[in-house]
Amino acid sequence: NAGVTQTPKFQVLKTGQSMTLQCAQDMNHNSMYWYRQDPGMGLRLIYYSASEGTTDKGEVPNGYNVSRLNKREFSLRLESAAPSQTSVYFCASKDSTDTQYFGPGTRLTVL
Amino acid sequence: QKEVEQNSGPLSVPEGAIASLNCTYSDRGSQSFFWYRQYSGKSPELIMFIYSNGDKEDGRFTAQLNKASQYVSLLIRDSQPSDSATYLCAVNSGAGSYQLTFGKGTKLSVIP
């Protein structure tokens, strides 16, 4: 039982490049989330998917897109990376107690 | 806008002492409350959650909730150096809400 997994763990991009962050969970949870965490800013919600087939914007959605591929997988895409998107990205899934379980994170640097 | 406030710290306590971490929230309709621990360079991990007013104990950890004062706290008894981490308070705004609002965290340092 791996819980929530994320790939890659680290990534360096140049401004304007695109990439997709992958997330998968094996806990049969309906809801999945993407956060970014910056020093002094705490965890900020980018997008979430309440259930398979639905996605909604969070607090900081600009510059990102998401895809809920199936119940297990939820990806985050940066179409044209900017230095302001340098951050640590966490994926999470939620159980019936509203507890969210986090993946190990992706550390992204945009030069 | 829903807000969750925590003292950023650092909070320093000697080994064996009680560490007290506090959190206030703005949404009076909030229904469930979570404490997460985050070690440096790692992801947040759940310590415990609480739904009802009063105390909830789990080992060395006790969560306290006072909905009238919009206040939730976490007590860590017999603090250990391994408890040194950032503690995040998170609040769910109730039935139908899929989102947690996180505080910015309190950094705890347990001094041997």
Side-chain angles (χ1 to χ4, degrees):
Chain A
N1 203 352
V4 180
T5 58
Q6 293 182 235
T7 56
K9 287 186 168 50
F10 300 93
Q11 184 71 49
V12 178
L13 293 177
K14 295 180 179 179
T15 297
Q17 288 184 318
S18 62
M19 77 162 296
T20 300
L21 282 65
Q22 306 286 354
C23 173
Q25 52 93 10
D26 62 1
M27 297 176 282
N28 201 36
H29 291 164
N30 288 321
S31 301
M32 298 184 71
Y33 303 79
W34 277 105
Y35 293 90
R36 61 178 290 173
Q37 188 175 39
D38 304 290
M41 299 298 292
L43 280 164
R44 292 184 292 171
L45 183 64
I46 304 171
Y47 271 94
Y48 69 100
S49 172
S51 60
E52 188 178 353
T54 68
T55 61
D56 284 285
K57 295 178 180 179
E59 180 186 355
V60 288
N62 290 345
Y64 305 95
N65 285 301
V66 290
S67 295
R68 183 73 183 266
L69 304 171
N70 47 55
K71 190 171 186 178
R72 291 187 63 248
E73 298 173 288
F74 188 38
S75 63
L76 178 72
R77 183 160 178 84
L78 287 70
E79 291 291 353
S80 178
S84 61
Q85 295 177 305
T86 293
S87 189
V88 180
Y89 291 85
F90 290 106
C91 177
S93 66
K94 182 179 78 72
D95 71 9
S96 58
T97 69
D98 290 332
T99 299
Q100 292 190 16
Y101 298 88
F102 288 82
T106 295
R107 282 151 183 76
L108 175 67
T109 300
V110 183
L111 301 175
Chain B
Q1 182 164 344
K2 300 166 187 172
E3 295 183 346
V4 177
E5 300 287 342
Q6 297 181 255
N7 189 321
S8 62
L11 174 66
S12 294
V13 299
E15 183 174 355
I18 296 175
S20 178
L21 304 162
N22 304 315
C23 172
T24 59
Y25 58 94
S26 63
D27 185 357
R28 193 167 282 278
S30 299
Q31 295 190 3
S32 50
F33 308 85
F34 302 81
W35 282 102
Y36 286 83
R37 176 176 61 199
Q38 186 175 23
Y39 292 113
S40 180
K42 302 295 185 182
S43 59
E45 56 180 345
L46 180 73
I47 298 173
M48 62 193 307
F49 58 80
I50 186 167
Y51 297 150
S52 303
N53 276 329
D55 295 359
K56 179 181 179 181
E57 187 174 315
D58 184 0
R60 295 187 296 113
F61 299 95
T62 299
Q64 299 176 315
L65 175 60
N66 183 326
K67 289 186 179 180
S69 300
Q70 295 175 240
Y71 177 92
V72 58
S73 64
L74 179 71
L75 301 179
I76 307 175
R77 290 182 300 280
D78 188 23
S79 295
Q80 301 297 311
S82 59
D83 294 326
S84 298
T86 297
Y87 289 79
L88 305 176
C89 173
V91 176
N92 178 284
S93 294
S97 173
Y98 289 91
Q99 299 183 39
L100 288 181
T101 301
F102 284 84
K104 294 181 180 179
T106 298
K107 187 170 184 178
L108 173 66
S109 181
V110 181
I111 311 300

